[in-house]
Coordinates of all heavy atoms in Angstrom, one line a residue:
M42 N -169.0 -137.3 37.6 CA -167.9 -137.5 36.6 C -168.6 -137.5 35.2 O -169.5 -138.3 34.9 CB -167.3 -138.9 36.8 CG -166.2 -139.3 35.9 SD -165.3 -140.6 36.3 CE -166.4 -142.0 36.1
D43 N -168.0 -136.8 34.3 CA -168.4 -136.9 32.9 C -167.9 -138.0 32.1 O -166.7 -138.4 32.2 CB -167.8 -135.5 32.2 CG -168.4 -135.3 30.7 OD1 -169.4 -136.0 30.5 OD2 -167.7 -134.6 30.1
R44 N -168.7 -138.8 31.5 CA -168.5 -140.1 31.0 C -168.3 -140.0 29.4 O -168.2 -140.9 28.7 CB -169.4 -141.2 31.4 CG -169.3 -141.6 32.7 CD -170.3 -142.7 33.2 NE -170.4 -142.9 34.4 CZ -170.0 -144.2 35.0 NH1 -169.7 -145.2 34.1 NH2 -169.9 -144.4 36.2
T45 N -168.5 -138.7 28.9 CA -168.4 -138.6 27.5 C -166.8 -138.5 27.1 O -166.1 -138.0 27.9 CB -169.1 -137.4 27.0 OG1 -168.4 -136.2 27.7 CG2 -170.5 -137.3 27.4
L46 N -166.7 -139.0 25.9 CA -165.2 -138.9 25.2 C -165.3 -138.1 24.0 O -166.2 -138.0 23.3 CB -164.8 -140.4 24.8 CG -164.4 -141.3 26.0 CD1 -164.0 -142.6 25.4 CD2 -163.2 -140.8 26.9
P47 N -164.2 -137.3 23.7 CA -164.1 -136.8 22.3 C -164.1 -137.8 21.4 O -163.8 -139.0 21.4 CB -162.8 -135.9 22.4 CG -162.0 -136.6 23.4 CD -163.1 -137.2 24.4
R48 N -164.4 -137.4 20.2 CA -164.3 -138.3 18.8 C -163.0 -139.1 18.9 O -163.2 -140.3 18.6 CB -164.6 -137.5 17.7 CG -164.6 -138.3 16.4 CD -165.1 -137.6 15.2 NE -164.9 -138.2 13.9 CZ -165.4 -139.4 13.6 NH1 -166.3 -140.0 14.4 NH2 -165.2 -139.7 12.3
S49 N -162.0 -138.4 19.0 CA -160.6 -139.1 19.0 C -160.6 -140.3 20.0 O -159.9 -141.3 19.8 CB -159.5 -138.2 19.1 OG -159.5 -137.6 20.4
G50 N -161.1 -140.0 21.2 CA -161.2 -141.0 22.3 C -162.0 -142.3 21.8 O -161.6 -143.4 22.0
W51 N -163.1 -142.1 21.1 CA -164.0 -143.0 20.7 C -163.2 -143.9 19.6 O -163.2 -145.1 19.7 CB -165.3 -142.6 20.3 CG -166.3 -142.4 21.4 CD1 -166.7 -141.0 21.8 CD2 -166.8 -143.3 22.1 NE1 -167.4 -141.4 22.8 CE2 -167.7 -142.6 23.0 CE3 -166.9 -144.7 22.3 CZ2 -168.4 -143.2 24.1 CZ3 -167.6 -145.2 23.1 CH2 -168.5 -144.6 24.1
V52 N -162.6 -143.2 18.7 CA -161.9 -143.8 17.6 C -160.8 -144.8 18.2 O -160.5 -146.0 17.8 CB -161.2 -142.8 16.6 CG1 -160.2 -143.5 15.7 CG2 -162.3 -142.2 15.9
R53 N -160.1 -144.3 19.2 CA -159.0 -145.0 19.8 C -159.6 -146.3 20.5 O -159.0 -147.3 20.4 CB -158.3 -144.2 20.9 CG -157.1 -144.7 21.4 CD -156.1 -143.7 22.2 NE -157.0 -142.9 23.3 CZ -157.2 -141.6 23.0 NH1 -156.6 -141.0 22.0 NH2 -158.0 -140.8 24.0
V54 N -160.6 -146.0 21.2 CA -161.4 -147.3 22.0 C -161.8 -148.3 20.9 O -161.5 -149.5 21.1 CB -162.7 -146.8 22.7 CG1 -163.5 -148.0 23.0 CG2 -162.2 -146.0 23.9
W55 N -162.4 -148.0 19.8 CA -162.8 -148.9 18.8 C -161.6 -149.5 18.0 O -161.6 -150.7 17.8 CB -163.8 -148.3 17.7 CG -165.2 -148.0 18.3 CD1 -165.7 -146.9 18.6 CD2 -166.2 -149.1 18.5 NE1 -167.0 -147.3 19.1 CE2 -167.3 -148.5 19.0 CE3 -166.0 -150.5 18.5 CZ2 -168.4 -149.2 19.3 CZ3 -167.2 -151.2 18.6 CH2 -168.3 -150.6 19.0
R56 N -160.6 -148.8 17.9 CA -159.3 -149.3 17.2 C -158.7 -150.4 18.0 O -158.4 -151.5 17.6 CB -158.4 -148.1 16.8 CG -157.3 -148.7 15.9 CD -156.3 -147.5 15.6 NE -157.1 -146.5 14.8 CZ -157.0 -145.1 15.0 NH1 -156.2 -144.7 16.0 NH2 -157.7 -144.4 14.3
R57 N -158.6 -150.0 19.3 CA -157.9 -150.9 20.3 C -158.7 -152.1 20.4 O -158.2 -153.3 20.4 CB -157.5 -150.3 21.5 CG -156.5 -149.3 21.5 CD -156.2 -148.6 22.9 NE -155.1 -147.7 22.8 CZ -154.8 -146.8 23.8 NH1 -155.5 -147.0 24.9 NH2 -153.8 -146.0 23.7
T58 N -160.0 -152.1 20.5 CA -160.8 -153.3 20.8 C -160.7 -154.1 19.5 O -160.6 -155.3 19.5 CB -162.2 -152.8 20.9 OG1 -162.3 -152.0 22.1 CG2 -163.3 -154.0 21.1
A59 N -160.7 -153.6 18.3 CA -160.7 -154.4 17.0 C -159.3 -155.1 17.0 O -159.3 -156.2 16.5 CB -160.8 -153.5 15.8
V60 N -158.3 -154.4 17.2 CA -157.0 -155.1 17.2 C -156.9 -156.3 18.2 O -156.4 -157.4 18.0 CB -155.9 -154.1 17.4 CG1 -154.5 -154.7 17.8 CG2 -155.7 -153.1 16.3
I61 N -157.3 -156.0 19.4 CA -157.3 -157.1 20.4 C -158.1 -158.2 20.0 O -157.7 -159.4 20.2 CB -157.6 -156.5 21.8 CG1 -156.6 -155.5 22.3 CG2 -157.8 -157.7 22.9 CD1 -157.0 -154.8 23.6
I62 N -159.3 -158.0 19.6 CA -160.2 -159.1 19.1 C -159.7 -159.8 18.0 O -159.7 -161.0 17.9 CB -161.6 -158.5 18.8 CG1 -162.3 -157.9 20.3 CG2 -162.5 -159.8 18.3 CD1 -162.3 -158.9 21.3
G63 N -159.0 -159.0 17.1 CA -158.4 -159.7 15.9 C -157.3 -160.7 16.2 O -157.3 -161.8 15.8
L64 N -156.3 -160.1 17.1 CA -155.3 -160.9 17.6 C -155.8 -162.1 18.4 O -155.2 -163.2 18.2 CB -154.3 -160.1 18.4 CG -153.6 -159.1 17.5 CD1 -152.7 -158.1 18.4 CD2 -152.7 -159.7 16.4
S65 N -156.6 -161.9 19.2 CA -157.2 -163.0 20.1 C -157.8 -164.1 19.2 O -157.6 -165.3 19.4 CB -158.3 -162.5 21.0 OG -157.8 -161.6 22.0
S66 N -158.5 -163.7 18.1 CA -159.3 -164.6 17.3 C -158.1 -165.5 16.5 O -158.2 -166.7 16.4 CB -160.2 -164.0 16.3 OG -161.2 -163.3 17.0
L67 N -157.2 -164.8 16.0 CA -156.0 -165.5 15.4 C -155.3 -166.4 16.1 O -155.1 -167.5 15.7 CB -155.2 -164.5 14.7 CG -154.0 -165.0 13.9 CD1 -154.5 -165.7 12.6 CD2 -153.0 -163.8 13.3
L68 N -155.1 -165.9 17.4 CA -154.2 -166.8 18.2 C -155.2 -168.1 18.6 O -154.7 -169.2 18.6 CB -153.8 -166.1 19.6 CG -153.1 -166.9 20.5 CD1 -151.8 -167.3 20.2 CD2 -153.0 -166.0 21.8
S69 N -156.5 -167.8 18.8 CA -157.4 -168.9 19.1 C -157.4 -169.9 17.8 O -157.3 -171.2 18.2 CB -158.8 -168.4 19.4 OG -159.7 -169.5 19.5
L70 N -157.5 -169.5 16.7 CA -157.3 -170.4 15.7 C -156.1 -171.2 15.5 O -156.2 -172.4 15.2 CB -157.6 -169.6 14.3 CG -157.7 -170.4 13.0 CD1 -158.9 -171.3 13.1 CD2 -157.8 -169.4 11.8
V71 N -155.0 -170.5 15.7 CA -153.7 -171.3 15.6 C -153.6 -172.2 16.8 O -153.1 -173.4 16.4 CB -152.5 -170.2 15.6 CG1 -151.2 -170.8 15.9 CG2 -152.6 -169.3 14.4
V72 N -153.9 -171.9 17.8 CA -153.8 -172.8 19.2 C -154.7 -174.0 18.9 O -154.3 -175.2 19.0 CB -154.1 -172.1 20.4 CG1 -154.1 -173.2 21.5 CG2 -152.9 -171.1 20.7
S73 N -156.0 -173.7 18.5 CA -157.0 -174.8 18.3 C -156.3 -175.8 17.1 O -156.4 -177.0 17.2 CB -158.3 -174.3 17.8 OG -158.7 -173.6 18.8
E74 N -155.9 -175.2 16.0 CA -155.5 -176.0 14.9 C -154.2 -176.9 15.5 O -154.1 -178.1 15.1 CB -155.0 -175.1 13.8 CG -154.5 -175.9 12.6 CD -155.4 -176.8 11.9 OE1 -156.7 -176.5 11.9 OE2 -155.0 -177.9 11.4
A75 N -153.3 -176.1 16.2 CA -152.1 -176.9 16.7 C -152.5 -178.0 17.6 O -152.0 -179.2 17.5 CB -151.1 -176.0 17.3
L76 N -153.5 -177.8 18.4 CA -153.9 -178.8 19.4 C -154.6 -180.0 18.7 O -154.4 -181.3 19.0 CB -154.7 -178.3 20.6 CG -154.2 -177.4 21.6 CD1 -155.2 -176.8 22.5 CD2 -153.2 -178.3 22.3
M77 N -155.4 -179.7 17.8 CA -156.1 -180.7 17.1 C -155.2 -181.5 16.1 O -155.4 -182.7 15.9 CB -157.3 -180.0 16.2 CG -158.4 -179.4 17.1 SD -159.0 -180.7 18.3 CE -159.8 -181.9 17.4
L78 N -154.3 -180.9 15.6 CA -153.2 -181.7 14.8 C -152.5 -182.7 15.7 O -152.1 -183.8 15.2 CB -152.3 -180.8 14.1 CG -152.7 -180.1 12.8 CD1 -151.7 -179.1 12.3 CD2 -153.1 -181.1 11.8
V79 N -152.2 -182.3 16.9 CA -151.5 -183.2 17.8 C -152.4 -184.2 18.2 O -152.0 -185.4 18.5 CB -150.9 -182.3 19.2 CG1 -150.5 -183.3 20.2 CG2 -149.7 -181.5 18.6
L80 N -153.6 -184.0 18.5 CA -154.6 -184.9 19.1 C -155.3 -185.9 18.0 O -155.8 -186.8 18.4 CB -155.7 -184.3 20.1 CG -155.0 -183.5 21.2 CD1 -156.2 -182.6 22.1 CD2 -154.3 -184.4 22.1
S81 N -155.5 -185.1 16.9 CA -156.2 -186.0 15.8 C -155.8 -185.6 14.5 O -154.5 -185.2 14.3 CB -157.7 -185.7 16.0 OG -158.1 -184.3 15.7
R82 N -156.6 -185.5 13.5 CA -156.3 -185.2 12.2 C -156.4 -183.7 11.8 O -156.4 -183.3 10.7 CB -157.0 -185.9 11.2 CG -156.8 -187.5 11.3 CD -157.6 -188.3 10.3 NE -158.8 -188.3 10.7 CZ -159.9 -188.4 9.9 NH1 -159.7 -188.6 8.6 NH2 -161.2 -188.4 10.3
G83 N -156.6 -182.8 12.7 CA -156.7 -181.4 12.3 C -158.1 -180.9 12.8 O -158.9 -181.6 13.3
I84 N -158.4 -179.6 12.5 CA -159.6 -179.0 12.9 C -160.5 -178.9 11.6 O -160.0 -178.7 10.5 CB -159.4 -177.7 13.4 CG1 -160.5 -177.1 14.2 CG2 -158.9 -176.6 12.5 CD1 -160.2 -175.9 15.1
D85 N -161.7 -179.2 11.8 CA -162.7 -179.1 10.8 C -163.3 -177.7 10.6 O -162.9 -176.8 11.4 CB -163.8 -180.1 10.8 CG -164.7 -179.9 12.1 OD1 -164.5 -178.9 12.9 OD2 -165.7 -180.6 12.3
L86 N -164.3 -177.4 9.7 CA -164.8 -176.1 9.4 C -165.6 -175.6 10.6 O -165.3 -174.4 11.0 CB -165.6 -176.1 8.2 CG -166.3 -174.8 7.9 CD1 -165.3 -173.8 7.5 CD2 -167.2 -175.0 6.8
A87 N -166.4 -176.4 11.3 CA -167.2 -176.0 12.4 C -166.1 -175.7 13.5 O -166.5 -174.7 14.2 CB -167.9 -177.2 12.8
G88 N -165.1 -176.4 13.7 CA -164.0 -176.0 14.7 C -163.5 -174.7 14.4 O -163.1 -173.9 15.4
S89 N -163.1 -174.4 13.3 CA -162.5 -173.1 12.8 C -163.3 -172.1 13.1 O -163.0 -171.0 13.7 CB -162.0 -173.2 11.3 OG -161.1 -174.2 11.1
I90 N -164.6 -172.3 12.7 CA -165.6 -171.1 13.0 C -165.8 -170.8 14.5 O -165.7 -169.7 14.9 CB -167.0 -171.4 12.4 CG1 -166.9 -171.4 10.8 CG2 -168.1 -170.5 12.7 CD1 -167.9 -172.0 10.0
A91 N -165.7 -172.0 15.2 CA -165.9 -171.9 16.8 C -164.8 -171.2 17.4 O -164.9 -170.3 18.2 CB -166.3 -173.0 17.4
S92 N -163.6 -171.4 16.8 CA -162.3 -170.8 17.3 C -162.1 -169.4 17.0 O -161.4 -168.7 17.7 CB -161.1 -171.8 17.0 OG -160.9 -171.5 15.7
L93 N -162.8 -168.9 16.0 CA -162.8 -167.6 15.6 C -164.1 -166.8 16.2 O -163.8 -165.6 16.6 CB -162.9 -167.4 14.1 CG -161.8 -167.8 13.3 CD1 -162.0 -167.9 11.8 CD2 -160.6 -166.9 13.7
A94 N -165.2 -167.5 16.3 CA -166.3 -166.8 16.9 C -166.3 -166.6 18.4 O -166.7 -165.6 19.0 CB -167.6 -167.5 16.5
L95 N -165.8 -167.5 19.1 CA -165.8 -167.4 20.6 C -165.1 -166.2 21.1 O -165.5 -165.6 22.1 CB -165.4 -168.8 21.3 CG -166.4 -169.9 21.1 CD1 -165.7 -171.2 21.7 CD2 -167.7 -169.5 21.9
P96 N -163.9 -166.0 20.7 CA -163.1 -164.7 21.2 C -164.0 -163.4 20.9 O -163.9 -162.6 21.7 CB -161.8 -164.8 20.5 CG -161.6 -166.1 20.1 CD -162.9 -166.8 19.9
I97 N -164.6 -163.4 19.7 CA -165.4 -162.3 19.3 C -166.6 -162.1 20.3 O -166.8 -161.0 20.9 CB -165.9 -162.3 18.0 CG1 -164.5 -162.3 17.1 CG2 -166.7 -161.2 17.6 CD1 -164.8 -162.6 15.5
I98 N -167.3 -163.2 20.5 CA -168.6 -163.1 21.2 C -168.3 -163.0 22.7 O -168.9 -162.1 23.4 CB -169.5 -164.4 21.1 CG1 -169.8 -164.4 19.6 CG2 -170.5 -164.5 21.9 CD1 -170.4 -165.9 19.2
L99 N -167.3 -163.8 23.4 CA -167.0 -163.6 24.7 C -166.2 -162.5 25.0 O -166.2 -161.9 26.0 CB -166.4 -164.9 25.1 CG -167.2 -166.3 24.9 CD1 -166.4 -167.4 25.4 CD2 -168.6 -166.1 25.9
G100 N -165.1 -162.3 24.2 CA -164.1 -161.3 24.5 C -164.4 -159.8 24.1 O -164.0 -158.8 24.6
G101 N -165.2 -159.7 23.0 CA -165.6 -158.3 22.5 C -166.1 -157.4 23.4 O -165.7 -156.4 23.5
P102 N -167.2 -157.8 24.1 CA -167.7 -156.8 25.0 C -166.9 -156.5 26.3 O -166.7 -155.3 26.7 CB -169.1 -157.6 25.5 CG -169.4 -158.4 24.5 CD -168.1 -159.0 23.9
A103 N -166.1 -157.4 26.7 CA -165.2 -157.1 27.8 C -164.1 -156.2 27.4 O -163.7 -155.4 28.2 CB -164.7 -158.5 28.3
M104 N -163.6 -156.6 26.3 CA -162.4 -155.6 25.7 C -162.9 -154.3 25.3 O -162.2 -153.3 25.7 CB -161.8 -156.3 24.4 CG -160.9 -157.4 24.7 SD -159.5 -157.0 25.6 CE -159.8 -157.8 27.1
F105 N -164.1 -154.2 24.9 CA -164.6 -152.8 24.6 C -164.8 -152.0 26.0 O -164.4 -150.9 25.9 CB -166.0 -152.8 23.9 CG -166.6 -151.5 23.6 CD1 -166.1 -150.7 22.7 CD2 -167.6 -151.0 24.4 CE1 -166.6 -149.6 22.3 CE2 -168.1 -149.9 24.2 CZ -167.7 -149.1 23.2
Y106 N -165.4 -152.7 26.9 CA -165.6 -152.1 28.2 C -164.3 -151.6 28.9 O -164.1 -150.5 29.3 CB -166.2 -152.9 29.1 CG -166.5 -152.4 30.5 CD1 -167.5 -151.4 30.7 CD2 -165.7 -152.7 31.7 CE1 -167.6 -150.7 32.0 CE2 -165.9 -152.2 32.9 CZ -166.8 -151.2 33.1 OH -167.1 -150.7 34.3
M107 N -163.3 -152.4 28.8 CA -161.9 -152.1 29.4 C -161.3 -151.0 28.6 O -160.7 -150.1 29.2 CB -161.0 -153.4 29.4 CG -161.5 -154.4 30.5 SD -160.6 -156.0 30.5 CE -159.1 -155.9 29.7
Q108 N -161.3 -150.9 27.3 CA -160.7 -149.9 26.4 C -161.6 -148.6 26.7 O -160.9 -147.6 26.8 CB -160.8 -150.3 25.0 CG -159.9 -151.4 24.7 CD -158.3 -151.1 25.0 OE1 -157.9 -149.9 24.9 NE2 -157.8 -152.0 25.6
L109 N -162.8 -148.7 27.0 CA -163.6 -147.4 27.2 C -163.2 -146.7 28.5 O -163.0 -145.7 28.7 CB -165.2 -147.8 27.1 CG -166.0 -146.7 27.6 CD1 -165.9 -145.4 26.5 CD2 -167.5 -147.2 27.5
R110 N -163.2 -147.7 29.5 CA -162.8 -147.3 30.9 C -161.3 -146.7 30.8 O -161.1 -145.7 31.6 CB -163.0 -148.4 31.9 CG -164.4 -148.8 32.1 CD -165.3 -147.8 32.5 NE -165.0 -147.5 33.8 CZ -165.7 -146.5 34.5 NH1 -166.7 -145.8 34.0 NH2 -165.4 -146.2 35.7
S111 N -160.5 -147.3 30.1 CA -159.0 -146.8 30.1 C -159.1 -145.5 29.4 O -158.3 -144.6 29.8 CB -158.2 -147.8 29.2 OG -156.9 -147.4 29.1
A112 N -159.9 -145.3 28.4 CA -159.9 -143.9 27.6 C -160.5 -143.0 28.5 O -160.0 -141.8 28.6 CB -160.6 -144.0 26.3
Q113 N -161.5 -143.3 29.3 CA -162.1 -142.3 30.2 C -161.1 -142.0 31.3 O -161.1 -140.8 31.8 CB -163.4 -142.9 30.8 CG -164.5 -143.0 29.9 CD -165.7 -143.8 30.5 OE1 -165.5 -144.6 31.3 NE2 -167.0 -143.5 29.9
L114 N -160.4 -142.9 31.9 CA -159.3 -142.5 32.9 C -158.3 -141.6 32.3 O -157.9 -140.7 33.0 CB -158.8 -143.9 33.3 CG -157.8 -143.8 34.6 CD1 -158.4 -143.2 35.6 CD2 -157.2 -145.2 34.9
A115 N -157.9 -141.9 31.1 CA -156.8 -141.0 30.4 C -157.3 -139.7 30.2 O -156.6 -138.6 30.4 CB -156.5 -141.7 29.1
E116 N -158.7 -139.5 29.8 CA -159.2 -138.1 29.7 C -159.3 -137.5 31.1 O -159.2 -136.3 31.1 CB -160.6 -138.3 29.1 CG -160.5 -138.6 27.6 CD -159.9 -137.4 26.8 OE1 -160.4 -136.2 27.0 OE2 -159.2 -137.8 25.8
A117 N -159.6 -138.2 32.1 CA -159.7 -137.5 33.3 C -158.4 -137.0 33.9 O -158.2 -136.1 34.5 CB -160.3 -138.5 34.4

């Protein structure tokens, strides 16, 4: 099986990965802030950074792999 993609396929993979990670990070920040407002006085700077960084660090590689496999399947 050929695993190469045309340039447009790679652009689509990177674009979709970036959108998913961006939305995940924003949702993580909003949910973290809402929970912390309910449970305490809000989220501090370290908490905000963690709620933005974790989806990128943990979800980024997984989303990229899933988008890549999806593009390869579409090309096949």
Side-chain angles (χ1 to χ4, degrees):
M42 176 172 71
D43 186 18
R44 294 181 180 240
T45 60
L46 287 176
R48 180 167 167 70
S49 62
W51 282 108
V52 169
R53 191 169 44 250
V54 166
W55 282 108
R56 186 179 301 136
R57 286 181 181 173
T58 301
V60 168
I61 291 168
I62 296 302
L64 291 175
S65 298
S66 298
L67 180 62
L68 181 63
S69 175
L70 181 62
V71 168
V72 169
S73 297
E74 180 65 33
L76 286 173
M77 293 308 293
L78 283 174
V79 169
L80 299 174
S81 65
R82 293 181 290 152
I84 195 167
D85 61 356
L86 180 62
S89 295
I90 291 170
S92 67
L93 289 173
L95 285 176
I97 294 169
I98 293 168
L99 298 176
M104 283 298 109
F105 177 79
Y106 178 76
M107 288 175 21
Q108 291 302 316
L109 177 61
R110 298 301 292 180
S111 176
Q113 289 172 336
L114 184 60
E116 285 293 316

